[in-house]
Amino acid sequence: MPEIRVVRYVLILLVLCLGVGWSLASVRTTEARQSTGYPNAQLLCTGSWLQENMEDKGLVVVDVRDDEHFDNTLIPGAVRMPWSLFRRTDRALGVAAEFVGLDRAQEILGQHGITRASTVVLYDSIARDGGATASYVFWVLDLLGHEHKMILEQGIDGWKEAGGEVVQQPNVLGSVLYQVPVREARLDLEVDGDFVRSRLSDRYYQVVDVRSPGEYSGELANTDLNGQPLKRGHIPGAVNIPYTRNWTDKDSKEIKSYARLQELYQGLNPDRAVIPYCHSSRRASFSYFIFRLMGFSDVRLYSRSWNEWGQPDLFYPVETTRRELRGTELPQGSKAAEAGQGEKEQSQEQSTSPEESPDKGGYVSCGG
């Protein structure tokens, strides 16, 4: 009998410890939300946060930079999983850099030792657009219904600025089986051209072009797989909010505060679907992440983006008229229910940062 009593006490103590741990985690998450204001603040972490939580069991830090942008320094313990692994070229369709698909994505994650239970911290660098490649892998994880994931703001630069040490050798984790239960996959988070075309007159869907103003207006042309210019312009009804405007400035590439993001997206309804797109969805994936951070409830990525829509032989409609959001309501996470804000036509370009200013003429051959 004494043994049973001891076991009972141990179980009670274990339950109490779990309760305290959960409470501390909740407090930490709550504090994070209060400090940043983002409704989904748990999707973004800082270098200081990562240093404090590096020893957490199940945490996997992932450097997503490809060889071209890798500077031979890593966060200690990080694995290398270049984001480009999740892209392929479909020569039959003539579309470059499209998503590899769910099956291949699961293989890649498993080969890098990531399980369904892992808390995945993704990072790139300021030089690699401060989250615009990490956010593509974030979208892939979202598509797979992976629950625990976040992006390290300012990537390895944010880590260094927080006083973190770096190493030159990546961590190598043993391969595991990464398998998504069918009911947990979020296939609705990826849309194609036919889906978008069939909903152009449906006000539930808000299409956002995140390319530069020059690409949006048709002054600059994106190019296809063979380097030939695609059609110029944008998807009818789409508004232009370049992905670079999510940053406070082009040097630090720090993400704007929630209040400033609300001002930027004033007029968008977070309770309606929003579909960002660009040239090949790399830049659009960053805006996708920002919408998720802001608590938009229905965000979908047009993954083939202009690589598909701009194909001359697909006959998707194109316009060059500039449209801007109207309305005074600020998006309030998924709680706002105001509708009917829509857009209005405007012929005058809005003011842009220097990096958004369109070059005169020429093509945009890459960049996503």
Side-chain angles (χ1 to χ4, degrees), residues 10-147:
V10 169
L11 290 174
I12 292 174
L13 182 61
L14 180 61
V15 170
L16 290 174
C17 289
L18 289 173
V20 171
W22 179 84
S23 298
L24 290 175
S26 298
V27 168
R28 191 165 58 195
T29 301
T30 301
E31 289 176 345
R33 292 187 179 194
Q34 290 174 343
S35 62
T36 63
Y38 305 123
N40 281 330
Q42 74 279 5
L43 302 181
L44 184 69
C45 71
T46 63
S48 298
W49 182 93
L50 185 56
Q51 287 189 51
E52 296 171 1
N53 294 274
M54 281 291 285
E55 302 304 320
D56 283 3
K57 187 177 180 181
L59 191 75
V60 179
V61 183
V62 181
D63 189 317
V64 306
R65 292 174 293 174
D66 53 26
D67 291 343
E68 181 183 359
H69 298 92
F70 183 58
D71 64 357
N72 207 35
T73 63
L74 300 109
I75 294 175
V79 300
R80 279 204 69 197
M81 186 176 68
W83 76 289
S84 54
L85 291 175
F86 295 94
R87 315 259 277 187
R88 68 182 176 195
T89 295
D90 187 339
R91 294 195 175 278
L93 188 63
V95 175
E98 69 167 6
F99 176 51
V100 294
L102 292 180
D103 290 343
R104 179 58 185 144
Q106 292 176 80
E107 291 176 2
I108 295 169
L109 292 169
Q111 289 166 359
H112 289 82
I114 296 173
T115 72
R116 290 290 285 172
S118 299
T119 296
V120 183
V121 178
L122 305 163
Y123 75 87
D124 44 33
S125 65
I126 289 178
R128 194 45 177 153
D129 268 0
T133 49
S135 57
Y136 188 84
V137 184
F138 177 93
W139 170 74
V140 172
L141 292 173
D142 243 4
L143 199 63
L144 295 172
H146 191 98
E147 186 174 1

Side-chain angles (χ1 to χ4, degrees), residues 3 23 32 45 98 172 205 265 293 307 311 317 353:
E3 290 81 0
S23 298
C45 71
E98 69 167 6
V172 179
Y205 295 92
Y265 293 106
L293 188 66
N307 265 334
Q311 295 278 338
S353 64

